[in-house]
Amino acid sequence: MPPAPAPRRRLRDSDLWDSFCRSPVAVLAALLLVLLILTAFFAPWITPQNPYDLAALELWNAEIPPIWTQGGQWPYLLGTDLQGRDMLSAILYGSRASIIIGAASVALSLVVGATLGLVAGYYGGWADSLLMRIGDVLLSMPTMLIAILVSAVAREALPPGWREAGASAVIVLAISLSAWVQYARTVRAQTMVERNKEYVQAARLIRASGRKIMLRHILPNTTTPLLVAATLSFGLGILIEATLSFLGVGMPPEQPSLGTLIRIGNQYLFSGSWWIVVFPALQLCLLVVSINLLGDWLRDALNPKLR
């Protein structure tokens, strides 16, 4: 029997990789996303300042314009804000916070939604009715409204000393509370189709437990729609976090995300300090657009009707 091909070789020979290489938009979006993520996570080594360290800020360096304009100073390539915070450093650190929150919210929503969807689709009955009615109630309310309500209530319920430290966890919980429903519905629909197929019936005949059947046999057949949904939800999670921070119920000013930076800079948009809001907004747009472009390509590449 010939040895199994290495994972890298299998990927290179797959239809998905061929579709990726044939799509210039997907390649460009992937390169841009990788660049944004790498610069965000390597920010401590490539930026001149730690914007989270308030003791390192120098107020006499406030509102320095970008270096290519009159009055620009090295090493503040993109200028500084009202607190003397280097904008490039703040943007990269803020991008890291936004990416982590977006990824964590997708991971939590995916785990909760896939688990509940498997249970509802496999067992049916009252469990299915209860979980889907809860999902209907959550879907009847705007996602942003739920996130704002949960974030505000949770922040007020926490002790004052924990509010800033737990701000990111509260945002992840607020985003995930309604985002799990789409994963649950997707997995439930796929599970209801798969549970009546021969391989599931064979697993039941050999006395396999319901948990084993769901995790080993049914769940792998739901990965394609889950992967597409998770990719698109990643960008949406970043946008929701930015909106919450822009409204003042997200990340605190001492630990700015992209939304916090945009909220601070928006107050000075027409005072001449345009760079304080323009560059964080541009970073947010590039991040979300690159994710959405990859999600659109992945949805088309994994659709068998388009092959």
Side-chain angles (χ1 to χ4, degrees), residues 31 53 61 69 78 80 95 100 139 149 207 209 215 248 273 289:
L31 292 176
D53 185 6
N61 288 330
T69 61
L78 301 182
T80 61
S95 299
I100 291 175
L139 289 177
L149 179 62
R207 302 291 184 179
S209 64
L215 295 180
S273 301
V289 167

Side-chain angles (χ1 to χ4, degrees), residues 121-139:
Y122 185 77
Y123 292 107
W126 67 268
D128 181 22
S129 300
L130 176 62
L131 292 174
M132 290 304 101
R133 297 300 75 77
I134 294 175
D136 292 338
V137 172
L138 292 175
L139 289 177

